[in-house]
Amino acid sequence: MIKEFERVILTEDIPGTELRKGDVGIVVEIYNEGEGYEVEFFALNGDTVAVETLESRQVRSATNREILHVRELNAA
């Protein structure tokens, strides 16, 4: 099970947001023993980009063999 403060990866785009499959976030809350998670997403400068409540199928644990990729968010 994914733990609090663990790094997670989105497994799908999140409609109505700028979050895309592959984006990296940090779990800040766990709901119903892992059925859902509150995940915070950050820009490289440390600013919070989004905080989303996600179902377990929408995230997965990050592994040590993955490399991060950078993309620019659309201007608000």
Side-chain angles (χ1 to χ4, degrees), residues 24-43:
V24 180
I26 302 292
V27 172
V28 294
E29 188 73 37
I30 299 170
Y31 301 113
N32 298 325
E33 299 181 11
E35 289 181 19
Y37 301 95
E38 194 82 9
V39 181
E40 188 167 4
F41 297 88
F42 300 91

Side-chain angles (χ1 to χ4, degrees), residues 2-32:
I2 294 171
K3 297 179 177 137
E4 193 172 38
F5 305 118
E6 186 174 334
R7 186 176 300 143
V8 293
I9 313 297
L10 282 178
T11 59
E12 60 187 56
D13 293 352
I14 306 302
T17 75
E18 291 191 57
L19 299 174
R20 301 292 172 254
K21 180 178 180 177
D23 286 350
V24 180
I26 302 292
V27 172
V28 294
E29 188 73 37
I30 299 170
Y31 301 113
N32 298 325

Side-chain angles (χ1 to χ4, degrees), residues 2 9 11 31 34-37 54-60:
I2 294 171
I9 313 297
T11 59
Y31 301 113
E35 289 181 19
Y37 301 95
L54 302 168
E55 297 176 24
S56 61
R57 67 176 173 76
Q58 295 176 295
V59 294
R60 64 171 179 81

